[in-house]
Amino acid sequence: MKALVLAGGTGTRLRPITHTSSKQLVPVANKPILFYGLEAIADAGITDVGVIVGSTAAEIQAAVGDGSAFGLDITYIPQSEPLGLAHAVLISRDFLGDDDFVMYLGDNFVLDGITDAVEGFRKERCDAQVLLTRVADPTAFGVAVVDDGGAITALEEKPQHPRSDLAIAGVYLFSPLVHEAVRAIRPSRRGELEITDALQWMIERRSDVRSTIITGYWKDTGSVADMLEVNRTLLDRLETRVDGFVDPDSEIIGRVRIEAGAEVRGSRIVGPAVIGAGSAVTGSYIGPWTSVAENCKITDSEIEFSIVLGDSSFEGIRRVEASLVGRNVQVTLAPRLPATHSFVIGDHGRLQISS
């Protein structure tokens, strides 16, 4: 079995971060979201992986390399523009050959991995298997209708009136039959080749399309709120480890990881939180569910429930919450301007000034 990982999207909902960076490489708990998917694929015993790349190809390739760091053999497959998930399968035909494969969206996060789903597919050998999860608002997702046996009977892409609350969770397992399906369909109203249309084509021809419902945590990390939630979920599982320097005037409370080369001086760190390698936290407060990446400088500041990317700095800032801060950002106080008042007040006026 092979794997096809989609890492070519532009991440419009994460702008301005994704104006200069790949959305799949935005870190949660100080690790790029894409890496969690690659690790899940390796844990499932799959080693031959194709990665779909677009305009951020150079950045993806620099981060992932040949895949050896994950125990994988990576082949990069360029996609000129994002024309749909089924289009990604279409252009990967030579790489996939006639092998079964798992397709994994690179910005999705499945906490418990995909090993059970892959083993089930290998054992039962259906035509396609789709991971589903129950969501509060199905209109934002591809939605599946399943029968009592778990077979998928219908699929809809972002329906206005969903027939179920089962959303497609960004992980698909396919037999080679899918290649016929993606060649048979036409672009949707969005101008894309939809994988839901390919699956519907298979269903209408009585192919064996099954579902696996995820009972654990899953998230599509397409927005800042989603990134912060995944970051919080991962930090809640953090194990305390102090490899960096903490001076006697600092206080470390709860699950905190301070990576090698980091320094904490005269500060209070309340976990779960992680301070990246080479970062310096001085006279500051780092609160729960905060990830500070590598080589950051936090001075006389307070940060909580936030993600700070590498090489950024805060000086004299109180307080930062629920924020996603990009790389090489500098946050400082604006200079104070003299307070002046200028009036034209009519007869018999009443004016109160607080300061």
Side-chain angles (χ1 to χ4, degrees):
M1 181 178 283
K2 294 177 179 176
L4 188 65
V5 177
L6 276 61
T10 55
T12 56
R13 289 183 293 160
L14 280 173
R15 288 175 181 169
I17 299 293
T18 50
H19 278 308
T20 54
S21 177
S22 166
K23 68 173 181 176
Q24 294 85 7
L25 294 180
V26 176
V28 285
N30 281 10
K31 183 192 297 184
I33 192 70
L34 176 63
F35 287 14
Y36 293 98
L38 294 175
E39 289 170 353
I41 288 167
D43 289 343
I46 301 170
T47 57
D48 202 358
V49 180
V51 178
I52 299 288
V53 290
S55 60
T56 60
E59 188 180 6
I60 297 288
Q61 292 182 42
V64 177
D66 63 3
S68 57
F70 305 92
L72 304 173
D73 182 9
I74 299 287
T75 299
Y76 293 99
I77 303 168
Q79 187 180 34
S80 57
E81 53 183 313
L83 296 174
L85 304 187
H87 180 260
V89 175
L90 192 66
I91 65 173
S92 303
R93 184 69 172 92
D94 289 344
F95 166 76
L96 295 168
D98 291 325
D99 293 316
D100 294 342
F101 67 98
V102 55
M103 183 167 73
Y104 195 113
L105 273 58
D107 59 353
N108 276 226
F109 178 78
V110 182
L111 182 61
D112 296 326
I114 61 171
T115 300
D116 290 345
V118 169
E119 290 178 352
F121 184 82
R122 283 172 164 154
K123 186 180 300 182
E124 299 188 16
R125 197 55 175 75
C126 55
D127 294 314
Q129 185 172 324
V130 183
L131 269 63
L132 306 175
T133 187
R134 298 192 183 280
V135 295
D137 180 16
T139 61
F141 302 93
V143 175
V145 179
V146 302
D147 64 19
D148 293 339
I152 298 178
T153 59
L155 289 154
E156 303 172 285
E157 185 64 34
K158 297 181 174 64
Q160 291 186 344
H161 305 287
R163 289 189 281 166
S164 86
D165 63 351
L166 292 171
I168 297 174
V171 180
Y172 311 76
L173 297 109
F174 290 115
S175 73
L177 180 62
V178 72
H179 298 299
E180 184 179 353
V182 298
R183 289 194 304 268
I185 61 173
R186 295 292 177 263
S188 66
R189 289 176 296 176
R190 300 193 302 168
E192 298 185 3
L193 290 176
E194 310 283 2
I195 199 66
T196 47
D197 289 343
L199 286 162
Q200 188 64 42
W201 184 92
M202 296 170 71
I203 291 167
E204 291 170 358
R205 282 150 186 81
R206 301 186 182 279
S207 302
D208 188 3
V209 179
R210 303 182 190 176
S211 66
T212 295
I213 297 178
I214 298 173
T215 56
Y217 183 83
W218 165 86
K219 200 71 178 176
D220 172 1
T221 59
S223 69
V224 172
D226 294 332
M227 295 292 296
L228 291 173
E229 184 179 330
V230 172
N231 190 62
R232 179 173 62 184
T233 299
L234 285 166
L235 290 181
D236 278 338
R237 297 160 64 97
L238 190 71
E239 294 184 3
T240 297
R241 194 181 77 231
V242 178
D243 295 330
F245 172 80
V246 179
D247 76 350
D249 295 326
S250 295
E251 185 178 15
I252 306 297
I253 300 172
R255 296 186 302 278
V256 175
R257 187 175 76 218
I258 300 174
E259 297 179 351
E263 295 185 358
V264 178
R265 300 179 184 273
S267 298
R268 189 168 187 254
I269 315 292
V270 179
V274 57
I275 309 299
S279 289
V281 180
T282 305
S284 296
Y285 166 76
I286 304 298
W289 306 301
T290 300
S291 294
V292 176
E294 70 284 351
N295 302 319
C296 292
K297 186 176 181 181
I298 313 296
T299 305
D300 191 27
S301 298
E302 300 176 358
I303 305 175
E304 185 170 288
F305 186 44
S306 295
I307 299 172
V308 181
L309 275 60
D311 300 295
S312 292
S313 64
F314 285 74
E315 186 171 355
I317 304 299
R318 296 194 180 358
R319 150 180 324 224
V320 177
E321 292 183 353
S323 298
L324 173 58
V325 179
R327 295 176 177 83
N328 199 27
V329 170
Q330 296 180 355
V331 184
T332 58
L333 287 175
R336 289 185 177 272
L337 298 176
T340 60
H341 306 288
S342 180
F343 307 122
V344 176
I345 303 173
D347 296 348
H348 310 294
R350 298 286 189 276
L351 181 66
Q352 291 184 327
I353 300 175
S354 61
S355 62

